[in-house]
Amino acid sequence: MHYLSQRIAYLFFATAMLLFSLQLVYGLLMAQAHMGWDGLHPWVPFNVMRPVHMNLLLMWLLAGFMGASYYLVPEEVKRPIVLPWVALVQWAAFVAVGVTAIVGFHFQWWEGRKFLEIPRPLDWLVVADLVLFLLVIGATLWRAERRTGTVLVLYFGLLSAAGFYLFGMIDTVHPTVDSFWRWWVVHLWVEGVWELIMGALLAFLLLRLTGVDREIIEKWLYVVVGLTFLSGVLGTGHHYYWIGTPDYWLWIGAIFSALEPLAFLGMAVWAVAMMRRGGRRHPNRMALMWTVGAAIMSFVGAGFLGFAHTLPQVNRFTHGTLITAMHGHLAFWGAYAMIVLAIITYAMPQMTGRAIYRNWTQHYAFWASNIGIVAMTLALAVAGIAQVYLERMAGMDFLVVQREIEWHFFGMLLAALLLVSGVAAYVVDFIRYGLPVSDLSELPEPDLDAAHEGGAQPVTRGGAVGYGDRLVGRDPA
Amino acid sequence: MLSVQQAKWFFLGGTAVTFAIFLLLTLHTFSRIPALSNQDQMTDRVIHGKRLWDEKNCMGCHTILGEGGYYAPELTRVYTRRGPAFIRAMLKDPQAMYPGERRMVQYQLTDTDMDDLIAFFEWVGRIDTNGFPPKPTLLTVAMPAQPGQPSVVERLDRPKVFNQLCIACHSLGGQGGNVGPPLDTVGQRMTRDEFVSWLEKPQAVRPGTAMPDLPLSDAQIAELAAFLVQLQGPGAVARASPVPPAASDRRPAQGATPAGPDSPPPAAPATPPAASGD
């Protein structure tokens, strides 16, 4: 950490941790409802739990992206955040809107449109909040003397994310038109501009953790985000197969969405190659594990499992079944949850001057959550495949099939408990890090891992192994 | 090897080209949506139905056009699959329709609301969806005795209301719901008059029964009673045939579905049940 204004990131990270924990609670309740235990139905029916679960996900990931931006933009452009008090207001407004939306869902204050359930008045507040955020980050970039490719890609991603949100606010009563614009938000976010944000975070983390030259890393970044848009934009077509749109989307969607895994494959190869090439052994190995893990798991979840049901010949039968939920869980985890957890793992020791990353709990958090989510995905896959064959192909009644696959949700629940235990370990460590320092001199050393770029102070200790020792020495445990 | 500058142009160029194509296709798609969805038939009732659909967040559980919560049935073709009588009964009291099953919120909808939702379903059902939802392709494999038969909900040899409503909870020939008992041999247990009074008001005949009072017209009840009384099942066939009942019990589909409500009950076939049927 170079500037005290970077501490704003902590507020967003803490918010993300809280919302993530709540998201898991609702997820557990939904798995139980799928098992036939819907005891909460009179108070919190499934159509309340689902938007809460989904919107908490979107909110905590957005909080993570915003926190990451407040942390890494000053590092990259070498100047503090402009108007940090506006950033504070922006955080408070973000929390207020989010809490209002989540509470409102429990009282049927919603729009009833999948993923975009936030009611219209709150939509405008979301937009206002995003504008405020983009203004603070934009002004910081504007005033800076150096702007790296990484921050430009990040800002482009954030700006486009805010822009596409507006298409979800187009008012229509036509379900086809409604769906068409809804995917401009949801698809062009998660299979488009969010990948830019993810790519930029990946670039920043790889720069810091591996020590590979910026030139090489940013070249990869442009190639990866180039592949993302080349495939992902027209890949939106895979949402336009069956909703009352012309049939040319069947082959356009098929061809381009079949190319979408390339971008994720690029990220995985990039991360692994940089890790192997990096001559530096950064002490925060956990941050590197989360970073490379995100690149690999996003390829498995978003790339491979997405491809598995994206061709219309397959999708005709899997569309609207648990197969989509199966893909969604691992895709969001691998691509976005893990990259946010990676940046938090990297930034917390930097902001607090404490080094908990050598604790076994950090390893437990990583492995338990990853094994848990993979097992959940497998359980959902079995349930989804059974549903496709029994309901869609053999013509059995929906509820009869759901009865048949209840047991797979018991398996999913067990796997989810493993995930929850891993995330709990992560959150506990997050709390143990404590608050960021209020005086930069309290930090053990001035930002060692930025040193190789020449802007920061030279590394006093030199040598790969000795580097970062003092951080480790301050481990409170 | 690619330079940073070239990589940047690859990104910017690729983005510009694909977005341009995407925008053109979007424009063309919007010119086609009115025809593909019969937009001219989108009446005020349909629009109100859509608003109710959103207001209750039906998508939070159901799917429509394949999009939604995966917790409750896909409703794109619900109008032809179940028909208005079933939809209305379901909206009025879901738990009565599916006692002990996965629950749906009981909304306090007026009759107009329900009519408008039904109008919405009817309109959505006519959207050209490029063949979604698909016809069950394994049906002929699952029921080898009747190759090439239309799916269970399209069987023209049964009353339409049976295919839409009864089959939601009861099964015939192994297909349908499992909330109520299978109907393969129900004709052995009840007479036509008993069927009529039962269907008029199940709760009056046997208070507390899981079967709800259904919004059926007298004509529908008469049609159903005539059909149900013919469901003698393979057991009845077996009495007159050399095949022991135990062997045919496992094949309830055979001979269970006569040609129609007005046709005579199935005569005892000379061939074994496996080769019989309609």
Side-chain angles (χ1 to χ4, degrees), chain A residues 110 174 179 182 241 248 393, chain B residues 2 28 37 55 67 130 138:
Chain A
W110 53 28
H174 196 301
S179 197
R182 201 150 37 76
Y241 292 161
Y248 51 70
M393 302 185 87
Chain B
L2 208 62
H28 183 261
S37 63
E55 190 184 299
E67 294 177 4
N130 295 329
L138 293 182

Side-chain angles (χ1 to χ4, degrees), chain A residues 460-471:
Chain A
T460 47
R461 300 205 156 216
V465 179
Y467 154 68
D469 269 358
R470 281 173 61 190
L471 273 180

Side-chain angles (χ1 to χ4, degrees), chain A residues 242 308-327 379-398 400-402 404-405 408-409, chain B residues 66 70 132-139 142:
Chain A
W242 326 115
H309 66 133
T310 200
L311 297 180
Q313 292 84 345
V314 178
N315 195 258
R316 185 190 302 277
F317 290 96
T318 60
H319 179 54
T321 67
L322 294 164
I323 292 292
T324 316
M326 175 273 298
H327 156 61
L380 267 177
V382 177
I385 291 167
Q387 183 190 9
V388 166
Y389 274 89
L390 295 178
E391 184 197 330
R392 290 289 168 80
M393 302 185 87
M396 276 171 73
D397 185 74
F398 179 89
V400 177
V401 175
Q402 293 294 313
E404 291 293 326
I405 61 179
H408 299 304
F409 282 92
Chain B
Y70 322 127
F132 179 86
K135 288 205 191 313
T137 45
L138 293 182
L139 206 57

Side-chain angles (χ1 to χ4, degrees), chain A residues 38 47 110 112 114 173-174 178-179 182-183 219 222 229 241 248-249 316 319-320 393-394 397 402, chain B residues 2 8 15 28-29 37 42 50 54-57 65-67 70 82 102-103 107 130 137-139:
Chain A
D38 60 348
N47 69 339
W110 53 28
K114 189 182 180 182
V173 289
H174 196 301
D178 194 10
S179 197
R182 201 150 37 76
W183 292 116
K219 188 161 70 185
Y222 283 122
F229 272 167
Y241 292 161
Y248 51 70
W249 288 111
R316 185 190 302 277
H319 179 54
M393 302 185 87
D397 185 74
Q402 293 294 313
Chain B
L2 208 62
K8 194 190 264 180
T15 304
H28 183 261
T29 296
S37 63
M42 208 175 181
K50 165 73 162 87
D54 287 345
E55 190 184 299
K56 308 297 182 197
N57 193 21
L65 301 172
E67 294 177 4
Y70 322 127
R82 295 287 189 234
R102 187 175 283 185
R103 282 182 283 182
Y107 295 106
N130 295 329
T137 45
L138 293 182
L139 206 57

Side-chain angles (χ1 to χ4, degrees), chain A residues 27 50 60 89 97 105 152 238 254 268:
Chain A
R50 191 189 149 88
W60 85 258
V89 171
V97 173
F105 289 162
L152 290 179
H238 64 207

Side-chain angles (χ1 to χ4, degrees), chain A residues 52 103 157 203 309 341 395 418 436:
Chain A
V52 172
V103 173
H309 66 133
L341 298 178
L418 187 62

Side-chain angles (χ1 to χ4, degrees), chain B:
Chain B
M1 190 63 190
L2 208 62
S3 74
V4 177
Q5 210 56 30
Q6 286 168 326
K8 194 190 264 180
W9 282 111
F10 166 71
F11 163 57
L12 293 174
T15 304
V17 170
T18 49
F19 256 105
I21 299 172
F22 187 56
L23 282 175
L24 286 175
L25 289 174
T26 296
L27 284 176
H28 183 261
T29 296
F30 272 83
S31 72
R32 296 277 293 122
I33 285 176
L36 289 169
S37 63
N38 306 302
Q39 197 169 310
D40 52 321
Q41 294 166 30
M42 208 175 181
T43 60
D44 288 347
R45 313 205 68 159
V46 173
I47 290 171
H48 183 233
K50 165 73 162 87
R51 291 207 188 285
L52 285 167
W53 170 267
D54 287 345
E55 190 184 299
K56 308 297 182 197
N57 193 21
C58 305
M59 239 187 185
C61 298
H62 292 279
T63 51
I64 199 157
L65 301 172
E67 294 177 4
Y70 322 127
Y71 187 70
E74 156 67 40
L75 297 184
T76 309
R77 297 280 187 258
V78 70
Y79 186 83
T80 43
R81 188 170 75 241
R82 295 287 189 234
F86 177 89
I87 299 172
R88 191 171 289 113
M90 189 69 197
L91 287 169
K92 242 179 205 148
D93 193 351
Q95 262 78 275
M97 294 300 281
Y98 287 100
E101 292 287 316
R102 187 175 283 185
R103 282 182 283 182
M104 171 175 157
V105 179
Q106 186 175 5
Y107 295 106
Q108 307 301 321
L109 297 168
T110 65
D111 285 343
T112 325
D113 286 347
M114 286 190 253
D115 287 344
D116 293 352
L117 265 171
I118 290 165
F120 171 64
F121 290 133
E122 187 183 8
W123 177 82
V124 166
R126 287 199 304 267
I127 294 179
D128 179 356
T129 55
N130 295 329
F132 179 86
K135 288 205 191 313
T137 45
L138 293 182
L139 206 57
T140 51
V141 181
M143 303 186 70
Q146 297 157 329
Q149 285 272 344
S151 81
V152 65
V153 293
E154 293 164 337
R155 295 281 297 260
L156 297 176
D157 54 352
R158 304 168 179 173
K160 193 175 170 194
V161 66
F162 181 87
N163 283 341
Q164 290 181 329
L165 225 160
C166 309
I167 211 80
C169 296
H170 299 277
S171 68
L172 183 60
Q175 283 197 297
N178 62 358
V179 178
L183 297 180
D184 299 277
T185 58
V186 72
Q188 296 175 357
R189 299 198 297 272
M190 287 165 78
T191 65
R192 185 187 285 239
D193 289 343
E194 282 170 341
F195 275 123
V196 170
S197 53
W198 173 253
L199 289 171
E200 271 170 356
K201 221 169 172 37
Q203 296 295 336
V205 178
R206 199 193 305 155
T209 176
M211 174 133 160
D213 293 344
L214 295 166
L216 296 168
S217 70
D218 287 348
Q220 284 172 325
I221 288 176
E223 190 188 9
L224 278 174
F227 172 70
L228 291 170
V229 80
Q230 297 171 70
L231 298 180
Q232 298 287 333
V237 173
R239 271 199 296 275
S241 73
V243 177
S248 56
D249 273 350
R250 270 182 271 120
R251 316 280 315 242
Q254 318 314 328
T257 50
D262 298 325
S263 64
T271 49
S276 75
D278 43 13

